[in-house]
């Protein structure tokens, strides 16, 4: 069985073909980073138009690279939410059209489930497992029992983790996308210099939120430090160039250290729930962060848990995860109607 998957929910246009034997037959990806860079973030309308411009060509390229024809494809999958709705519609309509013309199933893939299932493509992973989903729009801890079968153990009550990375980068005047910029600069920074507090953890115990996250206060704490460093409200500055590289790097490193402490504290609390999972999968764009990954690996020794992250290129948005989620759904007969509506919001649980 060969599934063609399309990803257009944010700022990557991507098409991949994956088979049931876990072969990635092709993967083509066009990043819109250059398009959005000057705005410091993704502009939804530009993103949707950008997807339209390149998607047809990418689909043909993916087939060509795999040496296949449309007739050889057994199902057409597309991210059908959650995401920027204009982009989601572009990819979903393309997959539906192909499914209709070639009389093959259409598979509506939840983008989060795409991230969640990637590790089952790249390693021999069986259900159940713990899942730390950390992306630009989400921050959740889930217990995955099967395809479409998830229990939410914790989630952010405000910002997503990737969003926090992006905002810190923006405040420091670092290039978009923020996560990789912060990680890179943190390598040369002093992670002990700034003591940012940990929302939901420090101070009064928040008994109802033992496995939840909050990053908005952390972001404000970072802003205050920057204001102290530049000696004024830096939001009026066009470029916060008054911050020297050493200060920038120390902020990045301290921020990243606190983020890790928060994540590990929450995972400690998850262990108290005694779900009995022996594997922890990290997925989503922030899973590409090596500092967080190695902190998790150290943490895992305490609990005899194996931590697995997909290869970096498959942590951030891609179409391989969409095609693979399509394979997983198709095997279970979970095909979707052409009436399926695109969803800007679509929780896994
Ligand atoms: O999963 P993803 O590609 O898109 C969403 O579904 O949101 O995640 C993008 C997010 C962005 O916030 C980006 O800054 C963050 O993942 N990210 C990272 C790293 N690479 C990407 N955050 C921290 N460290 C990284 N190396
Ligand atoms: Zn994503």
């Amino acid at each position: 069985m060969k599934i063609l998957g399309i990803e257009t929910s944010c700022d990557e246009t991507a098409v991949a073909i994956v088979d049931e034997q876990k072969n990635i037959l092709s993967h083509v990806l066009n990043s819109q980073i250059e398009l959005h860079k000057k705005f410091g973030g993704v502009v939804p309308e530009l993103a949707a138009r950008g997807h339209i411009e390149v998607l047809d060509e990418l689909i043909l390229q993916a087939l060509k690279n795999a040496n296949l024809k449309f007739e050889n494809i057994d199902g057409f999958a597309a991210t059908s939410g959650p995401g920027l709705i204009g982009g989601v519609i572009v990819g979903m309509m393309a997959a539906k059209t192909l499914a209709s013309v070639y009389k093959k199933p259409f598979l509506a893939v939840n983008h989060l489930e795409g991230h969640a299932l990637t590790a089952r493509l790249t390693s021999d992973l069986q259900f159940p497992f713990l899942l730390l989903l950390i992306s630009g729009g989400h921050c959740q801890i889930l217990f995955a029992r099967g395809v479409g079968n998830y229990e939410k153990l914790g989630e952010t009550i405000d910002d997503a983790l990737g969003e926090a990375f992006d905002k810190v980068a923006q405040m420091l005047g670092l290039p978009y996308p923020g996560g990789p910029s912060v990680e890179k600069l943190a390598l040369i920074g002093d992670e002990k210099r700034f003591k940012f507090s940990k929302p939901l953890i420090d101070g009064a115990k928040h008994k109802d939120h033992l496995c939840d996250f909050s990053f908005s206060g952390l972001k404000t704490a970072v802003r205050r430090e920057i204001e102290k460093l530049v000696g004024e409200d830096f939001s009026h500055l066009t470029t916060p160039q008054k911050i020297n590289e050493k200060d920038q790097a120390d902020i990045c490193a301290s921020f990243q250290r606190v983020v890790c402490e928060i994540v590990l504290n929450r995972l400690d609390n998850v262990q108290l729930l005694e779900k009995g999972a022996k594997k922890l999968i990290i997925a989503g764009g922030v899973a590409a962060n090596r500092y967080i990954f190695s902190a998790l690996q150290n943490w895992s020794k305490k609990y005899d848990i194996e931590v697995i992250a997909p290869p970096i290129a498959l942590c951030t948005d891609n179409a391989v995860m969409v095609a693979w989620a399509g394979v997983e759904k198709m095997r279970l007969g979970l095909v979707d109607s052409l009436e399926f509506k695109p969803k800007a919001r679509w929780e896994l649980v």
Side-chain angles (χ1 to χ4, degrees), residues 40-53:
V42 182
V43 183
E45 183 58 30
L46 288 182
R49 282 191 234 166
H51 293 309
I52 293 174
E53 274 168 28

Side-chain angles (χ1 to χ4, degrees), residues 9-10 12 111 115 134-138 161-163 165-166 177-180 183 256 284-286 288-290 292 315-317:
S9 69
C10 193
E12 260 95 25
H111 180 87
H115 281 303
I134 39 180
S135 69
H138 288 80
L161 185 49
E163 197 181 344
F165 268 92
D166 292 337
E183 179 179 16
Q256 217 174 226
V286 187
N289 186 296
R290 294 295 100 180
I292 297 179
C315 285
T316 46
D317 287 350

Side-chain angles (χ1 to χ4, degrees), residues 16 26 54 58 66 90 104 144 172 198 200-201 222-223 226 229 243 262 288 295 306 323:
S26 64
V54 299
L58 290 188
V90 173
K104 296 287 166 63
L172 290 171
K198 299 191 269 290
L200 293 187
I201 299 176
V222 170
R223 169 176 283 273
I226 300 175
L229 290 167
I243 311 174
I262 294 171
E306 187 187 351

